[in-house]
């Protein structure tokens, strides 16, 4: 992990644990109510990001709630669904770990806590969580990025992603790709809250360098596997052009000891939900 910036742990979670998360998310979708004006299409392309999430309070205030984001091209101009809503959803975030009993139990499971201790985390707190669907045929690509672009700390190196495959993640359905060792040279781009009165709620400072495709290695992983992701390692995933989905539950942890969370991050702890300790 220290050398590459990522670590693959196959079969970290059981098939039963994966299925319990998938069943729970179906229940959440069945009860989903998103008013048309709040329906935003999720994108990782910078211009589209600023247009959709960046102009939306719905995104900016989702850090302490369970909210719904949709794939590109699934909504008409009035925000009505062009395909069944359960097939149109891109991700659900950002506080499943706090508000849902199944995801809370997984996030704070004894094996996750034990792993945190093995990694030397002294005061880890959970900052956000997401369920990602990567829908068959339309699951959008995630362009090369570093998580610390969006979750910035001082000093750097204090954010860690836990990425859990709830189905086999293959090269066909959009597994993750990494540049090994790319976590050691800082960040070149940050997404920050924009000044009040600007047309978007967030803006990007700096820019993402052009990465050479040949630097990336694919990390296919089977159902129940966990990938640990260093906050500064460069990673991406391709469009899912297959006919099988690629469901994932992922959450981010920050080592809170001697660390400051940037006030400019889009995601902020709230009085209702301060970042909870990973250790219970």
């Amino acid at each position: 992990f220290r050398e590459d910036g990522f670590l693959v742990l196959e079969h970290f979670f059981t098939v039963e644990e994966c299925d319990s998360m998938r069943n729970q998310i179906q229940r959440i979708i069945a009860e989903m109510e998103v008013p048309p004006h709040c329906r935003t299409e999720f994108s990782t392309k910078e211009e589209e990001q600023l247009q959709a999430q960046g102009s939306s309070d719905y995104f900016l205030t989702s850090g302490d709630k369970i909210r719904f984001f949709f794939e590109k091209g699934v909504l008409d101009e009035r925000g009505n669904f062009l395909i069944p809503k359960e097939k149109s959803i891109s991700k659900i975030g950002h506080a499943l770990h706090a508000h849902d009993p199944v995801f809370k139990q997984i996030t704070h499971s004894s094996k996750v806590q034990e792993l945190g201790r093995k990694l030397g985390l002294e005061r880890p707190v959970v900052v956000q969580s997401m369920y990602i669907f990567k829908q068959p045929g339309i699951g959008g690509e995630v362009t090369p990025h570093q998580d610390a672009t969006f979750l910035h700390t001082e000093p750097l190196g204090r954010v860690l992603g836990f990425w859990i495959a709830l189905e086999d993640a293959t090269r066909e359905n959009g597994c993750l790709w990494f540049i090994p060792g790319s976590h050691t040279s800082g960040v070149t781009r940050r997404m920050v809250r924009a000044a009040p009165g600007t047309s978007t709620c967030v803006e990007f400072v700096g820019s993402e360098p052009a990465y050479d495709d040949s630097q990336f290695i694919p990390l296919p992983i089977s159902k129940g596997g966990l990938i640990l992701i260093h906050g500064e390692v460069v990673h991406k995933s391709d469009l899912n052009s297959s006919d099988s989905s690629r469901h994932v539950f992922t959450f981010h942890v920050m080592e809170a000891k001697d660390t400051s969370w940037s006030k400019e991050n889009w995601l902020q702890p709230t009085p209702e939900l301060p970042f909870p300790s990973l250790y219970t």
Side-chain angles (χ1 to χ4, degrees):
F1 177 72
R2 308 239 184 280
E3 195 172 304
D4 290 332
F6 59 85
L7 181 68
V8 178
L9 298 168
E10 287 279 11
H11 310 298
F12 191 82
F13 289 96
T14 64
V15 167
E16 292 73 27
E17 286 170 317
C18 293
D19 291 344
S20 74
M21 288 186 265
R22 293 188 58 193
N23 294 336
Q24 186 67 356
I25 215 72
Q26 293 311 320
R27 287 192 278 273
I28 290 171
I29 293 172
E31 294 165 14
M32 167 175 81
E33 287 298 331
V34 184
H37 69 277
C38 289
R39 292 174 189 164
T40 55
E41 294 183 349
F42 186 74
S43 171
T44 59
K45 294 198 166 73
E46 193 167 302
E47 304 73 31
E48 292 170 359
Q49 230 169 17
L50 291 174
Q51 193 184 341
Q53 291 105 274
S55 57
S56 164
D57 239 15
Y58 184 78
F59 170 73
L60 212 56
T61 56
S62 64
D64 60 353
K65 301 176 186 70
I66 294 177
R67 290 202 162 157
F68 304 88
F69 303 90
F70 300 94
E71 287 291 359
K72 244 176 16 192
V74 301
L75 302 168
D76 67 16
E77 61 279 2
R78 290 184 179 158
N80 298 315
F81 292 108
L82 299 167
I83 62 174
K85 65 178 183 181
E86 65 277 5
K87 293 268 186 256
S88 65
I89 195 151
S90 165
K91 68 172 200 171
I92 297 176
H94 289 91
L96 286 161
H97 64 279
H99 297 314
D100 182 90
V102 172
F103 292 100
K104 186 175 192 173
Q105 186 184 357
I106 291 288
T107 303
H108 297 280
S109 60
S110 55
K111 49 193 166 189
V112 168
Q113 296 191 42
E114 185 192 346
L115 185 54
R117 292 195 169 93
K118 282 183 177 165
L119 289 162
L121 300 176
E122 292 184 54
R123 281 182 42 215
V125 295
V126 186
V127 297
Q128 70 153 6
S129 55
M130 293 183 289
Y131 192 106
I132 303 169
F133 293 82
K134 203 73 146 168
Q135 299 282 4
I138 58 168
E141 71 168 319
V142 175
T143 53
H145 68 284
Q146 300 164 291
D147 292 344
T149 285
F150 309 95
L151 309 171
H152 195 83
T153 59
E154 295 194 355
L156 281 171
R158 301 303 170 90
V159 167
L160 174 65
F162 289 72
W163 192 95
I164 305 158
L166 305 184
E167 302 178 282
D168 293 350
T170 64
R171 289 176 72 149
E172 291 68 45
N173 71 3
C175 71
L176 294 179
W177 295 67
F178 287 82
I179 301 181
S182 57
H183 60 302
T184 55
S185 34
V187 288
T188 57
R189 182 175 73 128
R190 288 185 57 193
M191 185 170 95
V192 298
R193 286 179 171 243
T198 354
S199 61
T200 59
C201 304
V202 293
E203 59 192 8
F204 283 95
V205 179
S207 61
E208 202 70 45
Y211 298 107
D212 184 346
D213 272 350
S214 66
Q215 294 177 280
F216 286 90
I217 62 161
L219 287 196
I221 189 167
S222 50
K223 178 175 177 172
L226 169 69
I227 301 179
L228 283 176
I229 304 175
H230 188 286
E232 284 96 79
V233 74
V234 178
H235 59 291
K236 65 172 186 172
S237 67
D238 294 337
L239 176 78
N240 180 4
S241 50
S242 79
D243 52 12
S244 59
S245 54
R246 192 220 67 188
H247 287 206
V248 163
F249 176 57
T250 178
F251 57 92
H252 283 89
V253 163
M254 171 181 74
E255 169 61 270
K257 187 184 178 199
D258 303 328
T259 307
S260 65
W261 180 256
S262 173
K263 293 270 184 264
E264 295 182 314
N265 285 337
W266 74 268
L267 176 83
Q268 293 295 327
T270 62
E272 297 76 30
L273 182 62
F275 294 152
S277 170
L278 179 68
Y279 300 151
T280 51

